[in-house]
Amino acid sequence: MSRHPDDRAAPRPRRRGTDAEILRLAWPAFLALVAEPLFVLSDAVVVGHLGTPELAAAGIAGALMTTLVGLCVFLAYGTTASVARRVGAGDTAGALAGGIDGLGLAVAIGLPVTAAAWPLAPTLVRMLGASEQVAGPAADYLRIAAIGTTPLLLMLAATGVLRGLQDTRTPLVAAVAGNILNILLNVVLVYGVGPFDGLGLLGSALGSVLAQVATAALLVGVVARGARRAGVALAPDLPGVRAAGRAGVPLVVRTLTLRAALLLTVYAVAALPADHGGADAGLAAHQVAMAVWGFLAYALDAIAIAAQAITGRALGAGDRSEVRALTTRMLQWGVVAGVVTGVGLAAVSPFLGRLFTEDPDVLDLLLPVLLVAALAQPVAGVVFVLDGVLIGAGDGRYLAVAGLLTLVVYAPLALLAPSLTWLWAAFALGFMAARAGVLLHRARGERWMVIGTTLAR
């Protein structure tokens, strides 16, 4: 029997609907991701006018806080996966109950970390090589900044809940509003207004904490209102908190492997001979290239965030064929986005370096590195999307093992690279290709496609 022409046309509206959903989730996520470093830069401008030691102190304390928050990103990723599954299964109340447990885990981690930061602050800043002039202010800054640990982790967990509920707009509004408040508070508390003289460097730390508290209150308030409407208790369930913690361990391992690869790359750059991209010029070129790579990653990461939410919901609904179709379409989005960012980077590579430096040695080293990074963008698109798909499926154990495997493959390539360009080829092509390989291998099978509210095995 021949098919009716309308039947043949049916997939096109469905694809348009899928594209619209990906865009609806990815666009606000992208804006939120881009907004964050812009506001961090504003903080640096405020503190930088106090002097070089103050800026260095804020940088050291900020690096420690960023590392902590980066390791706890599982609060957002894991919560997105579990909440989205329950949404897909039609259990909104269960989704919000799981989200409340994620908030409880954030508090359970944040409070002890804050308590530990007070006595350990001097030791931690000296571990990063702070001079005597910088160590004292950095430790004081860190002690105040650590008060914001629990609000920061609550922001991660609440963002994960809202993404799981297929809402990326509210986190965007909260991020922009919170960071604008942060800038205003920093200016007032650092420099003062009217009869208030200002607190200097410590005013910056205090302003950030107050903005984090306000942002966390906004996000948690949205989740709490949803929970009340669904008749869900606002008190976390202890077994649920423990389960969320166990589910987060593999994602912590995954994150550690990624950070280890970045640190290994910096070490390898520093070890290169000066005439092959080492010493100060090589480190400067690498820093610029990594900043550009990180910025382009925001576009790809936004699609990955959409993939987390969409994949978890589809698996919760129990439709494997839909999950496969969605994964294929999101992969196409990732490749196209990678091609666009790659072509764009290649086009501006000859001119981009002069935005950062006029040093001819740095510029000579930077151009081929940027071209390598441009070439790797489509591969990065595949990696980011599949990472998001498998996180959305709750496939943390595989991601942890895959992260360790790719790190083992990458380490000798990085350490044996004879120049900065070859090192970036090892990172942007070798490391990312290895990640793409293990993720594609997993995605081809069905073990990760565990339907219902149970996470992947």
Side-chain angles (χ1 to χ4, degrees):
M1 180 183 296
S2 64
R3 294 175 59 191
H4 190 277
D6 289 343
D7 294 334
R8 291 195 297 270
R12 190 176 296 275
R14 178 180 177 182
R15 174 175 288 188
R16 285 201 295 266
T18 299
D19 289 344
E21 184 174 22
I22 294 171
L23 185 61
R24 178 181 66 82
L25 293 170
W27 181 242
F30 171 72
L31 293 177
L33 289 168
V34 170
E36 187 65 32
L38 295 178
F39 286 115
V40 170
L41 179 62
S42 299
D43 276 359
V45 171
V46 172
V47 174
H49 284 88
L50 292 173
T52 300
E54 288 83 358
L55 184 59
I60 288 175
L64 289 167
M65 291 297 297
T66 299
T67 299
L68 170 65
V69 173
L71 291 176
C72 292
V73 74
F74 73 89
L75 288 167
Y77 291 170
T79 306
T80 296
S82 61
V83 170
R85 277 181 173 271
R86 290 184 171 91
V87 168
D91 182 14
T92 303
L96 285 163
I100 295 296
D101 293 339
L103 296 176
L105 179 60
V107 175
I109 296 172
L111 292 179
V113 168
T114 298
W118 280 80
L120 293 177
T123 301
L124 291 173
V125 298
R126 285 192 172 87
M127 285 175 60
L128 291 186
S131 66
E132 289 299 323
Q133 184 182 15
V134 170
D140 292 338
Y141 189 104
L142 180 59
R143 286 188 175 110
I144 295 177
I147 299 173
T149 301
T150 299
L152 279 170
L153 299 189
L154 283 171
M155 287 162 57
L156 284 176
T159 296
V161 175
L162 293 169
R163 287 174 180 169
L165 294 170
Q166 317 298 294
D167 175 11
T168 55
R169 289 182 178 272
T170 301
L172 168 62
V173 172
V176 173
N179 281 297
I180 290 175
L181 177 62
N182 180 44
I183 293 173
L184 295 175
L185 287 172
N186 268 256
V187 171
V188 171
L189 293 175
V190 170
Y191 296 110
V193 60
F196 176 62
D197 291 335
L199 302 174
L201 178 63
L202 298 186
S204 175
L206 179 59
S208 295
V209 168
L210 293 174
Q212 289 155 7
V213 169
T215 306
L218 172 61
L219 291 170
V220 172
V222 172
V223 174
R225 284 195 298 273
R228 281 197 298 267
R229 285 196 298 267
V232 174
L234 298 182
D237 176 60
L238 187 57
V241 173
R242 286 199 295 264
R246 287 194 298 271
V249 171
L251 291 178
V252 173
V253 175
R254 164 199 167 272
T255 302
L256 283 171
T257 62
L258 297 180
R259 291 193 172 273
L262 296 176
L263 290 173
L264 177 64
T265 306
V266 174
Y267 173 82
V269 173
L272 288 171
D275 58 342
H276 289 286
D280 292 345
L283 286 169
H286 173 73
Q287 179 63 25
V288 172
M290 191 57 70
V292 173
W293 176 273
F295 180 80
L296 295 179
Y298 291 132
L300 306 179
D301 204 24
I303 302 174
I305 288 170
Q308 292 173 28
I310 292 172
T311 301
R313 189 200 62 210
L315 288 172
D319 190 343
R320 283 195 179 93
S321 62
E322 178 72 2
V323 173
R324 182 66 71 189
L326 287 168
T327 300
T328 299
R329 189 57 181 161
M330 287 186 289
L331 266 176
Q332 292 169 348
W333 269 69
V335 172
V336 170
V339 170
V340 170
T341 57
V343 170
L345 178 56
V348 301
S349 290
F351 320 103
L352 189 59
R354 296 193 180 276
L355 294 176
F356 300 89
T357 181
E358 293 294 333
D359 187 325
D361 293 334
V362 175
L363 293 173
D364 288 344
L365 290 169
L366 183 60
L367 178 58
V369 167
L370 291 178
L371 292 175
V372 169
L375 188 63
Q377 288 299 299
V379 179
V382 171
V383 169
F384 275 69
V385 168
L386 287 182
D387 208 37
V389 166
L390 296 181
I391 288 173
D395 202 15
R397 290 185 182 180
Y398 182 83
L399 291 172
V401 173
L404 291 169
L405 177 62
T406 53
L407 182 60
V408 169
V409 170
Y410 173 59
L413 295 176
L415 295 174
L416 295 175
S419 68
L420 184 64
T421 302
W422 280 106
L423 176 58
W424 261 82
F427 170 74
L429 296 174
F431 178 62
M432 296 302 288
R435 289 186 67 195
V438 295
L439 294 174
L440 284 167
H441 172 74
R442 184 65 162 179
R444 285 197 201 97
E446 294 191 354
R447 289 195 64 187
W448 61 276
M449 283 197 281
V450 178
I451 61 174
T453 58
T454 303
L455 299 181
R457 294 181 293 272

